[in-house]
Amino acid sequence: MKYVTGLRCRECGREYPVEPVYVCEFCFGPLEAVYDYTKIKKALSKRTIEKRPKTLWRYKELLPIDGEPQVGLSSGFTPLVRAENLAKYLGVKELYIKDDTTLHPTLSFKDRVVAVALTKAKEFSFDTVACASTGNLAHAVSAHGAKAGFKRFIFIPATLEHSKIIASIVYEPNLVAVDGNYDDVNRLCSEIANKYRWAFVNINIRPFYAEGSKTIGFEIVEQLGWQSPDSIVVPCASGSLLTKVWKALKEFKELGIIKNLKTKIYGAQATGCCPISTAFKLGTDVIRPVKPNTVAKSLAIGNPADGYYALQAVKESGGAMEDVSDDEIIDAIKLLAKTEGIFAETAGGVTLATYIKLLKEGNIDRKDCTVLCITGNGLKTSEVLYERTAEIYHIKPNLASFEEALKRINQKGR
Ligand SMILES: Cc1ncc(COP(=O)(O)O)c(C=O)c1O
Ligand SMILES: [Zn+2]
């Protein structure tokens, strides 16, 4: 059963058939999937969703595929964890972590978008998939593409974290490391996408790929007992994830699955790459591209494709944007680990540190029910913690040496 009727330009509203195209021929605006919500309303209810397997495909009518899911069959439905220790530490009432560091095959929210993009690539009969990536997407396309039998071209900035490079190359895609930052890689990939008939998941398949991010929003609502929270904090690179979390909440409202939509959306960036939060703070809609310089490499997109739409989503919802320093990011990674036992990558550090800043500024209420989107696993960026972790007690293999160390441990009171 088909629920997508076509693609529509976000700027001029012109409609296009369902094809691997992403930009309007008339005004160069981005294209977006259009759904028949009347038909979806008849097919989808809370009860039908609840009966389905616990994966992102339980919301399949709201995803832009025509047939049955073919890729990423175990992706999604990650835990929503009540963060009681962290809430106590921060002096807030009701705090949750949407924990995308775990359960997903490649340990980041990119398993969501890639499940949808590669299913669509199969429907379009592509034999080759490709992407421009800041790391997590490279990992997800390499892995899911291998399982689904695609030829794979993965383009990354050459300076990516070693763990992320290993996490992609182990699946033996064609890994191309480009001398340049993500924005250079993306520009090159747009040229390549014009020349070769490949499914570039975040370029010509982008209108389909991006919809996969809505599933974080759907899951948050379902896991809160079909309620939308007061606030959600989302990390931003291209701004697509944030835009789609907001779209998910609006779709649930449209379908009558939630009655009230009171959620404010907050965007999180690293100060070393914060074109969207800068525009928010300046009160302008013009996003000025920057040259990224931050430890949060997964968020290092200086010219964000969906920055404008992320900004509109934040403003429409009544939320705000903030950005945080590299030290704040690292401190937040450690705080989340020692309070909640969750090891997040740098993007997770950005989200938590931004939340702390927004609390201090009074932008988020301490009485709010807040959800933090922690989107990737810390083992993939562990090198940022070298020399920045707690002390390791190195001893000889005898009791005396241990007790010597124990004296120091007790002095620290840990
Ligand atoms: C872990 C992680 N979180 C968040 C994002 C932000 O995604 P978006 O480009 O949709 O804003 C990325 C992007 O690569 C990421 O890798
Ligand atoms: Zn247009």
Side-chain angles (χ1 to χ4, degrees):
M1 187 77 108
K2 289 184 189 177
Y3 296 94
V4 171
T5 55
L7 300 176
R8 186 184 295 137
C9 172
R10 290 199 67 152
E11 291 305 317
C12 74
R14 273 200 175 74
E15 305 233 345
Y16 293 81
V18 174
E19 277 169 11
V21 288
Y22 65 108
V23 69
C24 175
E25 286 172 11
F26 293 88
C27 76
F28 301 109
L31 305 184
E32 189 178 26
V34 181
Y35 296 83
D36 181 343
Y37 292 112
T38 315
K39 201 160 148 191
I40 295 175
K41 213 167 183 170
K42 290 191 190 122
L44 200 65
S45 69
K46 293 179 201 172
R47 301 298 150 251
T48 38
I49 295 170
E50 281 166 353
K51 282 194 210 126
R52 291 177 174 168
K54 292 193 164 160
T55 75
L56 61 83
W57 293 114
R58 65 208 264 114
Y59 314 103
K60 66 182 177 185
E61 289 81 356
L62 288 161
L63 294 171
I65 60 168
D66 291 342
E68 285 303 307
Q70 300 186 54
V71 180
L73 301 183
S74 64
S75 298
F77 220 77
T78 57
L80 183 75
V81 181
R82 178 96 193 235
E84 284 179 337
N85 299 337
L86 182 58
K88 201 166 159 201
Y89 179 90
L90 296 174
V92 300
K93 195 164 157 239
E94 197 180 355
L95 183 61
Y96 294 87
I97 304 294
K98 179 57 175 161
D99 186 5
D100 265 20
T101 69
T102 185
L103 284 190
H104 285 309
T106 68
L107 306 177
S108 91
F109 92 99
K110 294 288 183 185
D111 284 286
R112 301 174 182 278
V113 278
V114 170
V116 177
L118 298 201
T119 294
K120 204 65 208 172
K122 288 247 170 210
E123 288 184 355
F124 286 137
S125 303
F126 281 100
D127 65 3
T128 303
V129 292
C131 67
S133 172
T134 57
N136 286 309
L137 184 60
H139 188 184
V141 174
S142 301
H144 290 283
K147 167 86 171 155
F150 285 109
K151 282 186 225 151
R152 291 146 292 147
F153 282 86
I154 309 293
F155 296 84
I156 53 167
T159 52
L160 219 54
E161 297 97 340
H162 289 152
S163 318
K164 284 217 173 117
I165 293 176
I166 299 291
S168 297
I169 195 67
V170 70
Y171 306 98
E172 299 194 0
N174 300 300
L175 185 67
V176 185
V178 180
D179 285 331
N181 60 29
Y182 172 83
D183 299 291
D184 299 319
V185 177
N186 198 40
R187 217 175 301 116
L188 169 66
C189 285
S190 298
E191 261 182 72
I192 297 172
N194 282 335
K195 181 150 185 204
Y196 296 87
R197 199 189 172 270
W198 297 344
F200 262 95
V201 301
N202 54 341
I203 301 179
N204 54 338
I205 305 291
R206 192 173 181 88
F208 309 95
Y209 149 95
E211 291 285 292
S213 287
K214 292 190 305 190
T215 58
I216 292 200
F218 297 148
E219 288 173 21
I220 290 172
V221 169
E222 182 177 353
Q223 289 168 318
L224 285 173
W226 301 108
Q227 302 288 330
S228 72
D230 299 312
S231 36
I232 304 181
V233 187
V234 187
C236 298
S238 72
S240 175
L241 172 62
L242 185 146
T243 310
K244 296 297 176 173
V245 168
W246 181 232
K247 183 175 180 189
L249 301 184
K250 290 208 292 191
E251 285 184 338
F252 266 7
K253 172 96 190 316
E254 161 108 32
L255 295 170
I257 288 178
I258 49 174
K259 296 276 165 300
N260 301 314
L261 179 47
K262 53 177 182 175
T263 311
K264 296 186 170 115
I265 307 283
Y266 294 85
Q269 294 209 290
T271 304
C273 181
C274 60
I276 315 176
S277 82
T278 301
F280 178 84
K281 289 181 194 172
L282 291 175
T284 165
D285 280 342
V286 181
I287 313 257
R288 283 193 185 283
V290 299
K291 275 222 178 311
N293 180 16
T294 167
V295 291
K297 293 187 185 179
S298 55
L299 302 184
I301 296 185
N303 189 9
D306 291 297
Y308 171 80
Y309 301 106
L311 197 57
Q312 302 317 309
V314 165
K315 290 201 274 194
E316 200 183 313
S317 74
M321 299 262 330
E322 251 308 352
D323 50 84
V324 287
S325 70
D326 284 359
D327 284 344
E328 288 171 303
I329 295 167
I330 300 217
D331 287 348
I333 291 175
K334 295 199 277 187
L335 178 62
L336 184 61
K338 75 178 178 199
T339 53
E340 293 302 325
I342 293 171
F343 185 15
E345 72 133 86
T346 45
V350 170
T351 304
L352 174 53
T354 297
Y355 172 57
I356 294 171
K357 201 160 177 183
L358 289 164
L359 277 177
K360 283 188 188 144
E361 292 168 351
N363 267 317
I364 296 187
D365 200 308
R366 289 177 188 275
K367 293 196 208 76
D368 269 8
C369 167
T370 300
V371 177
L372 308 181
C373 293
I374 301 298
T375 47
N377 191 293
L379 289 172
K380 299 207 228 179
T381 60
S382 57
E383 61 201 65
V384 300
L385 294 173
Y386 292 169
E387 321 260 307
R388 297 168 104 153
T389 57
E391 185 182 354
I392 297 168
Y393 300 96
H394 198 151
I395 63 167
K396 297 269 180 292
N398 62 55
L399 191 59
S401 183
F402 169 65
E403 287 180 339
E404 200 48 49
L406 191 57
K407 262 192 233 152
R408 282 199 285 138
I409 292 171
N410 286 337
Q411 273 164 9
K412 286 200 172 165
R414 265 216 262 144

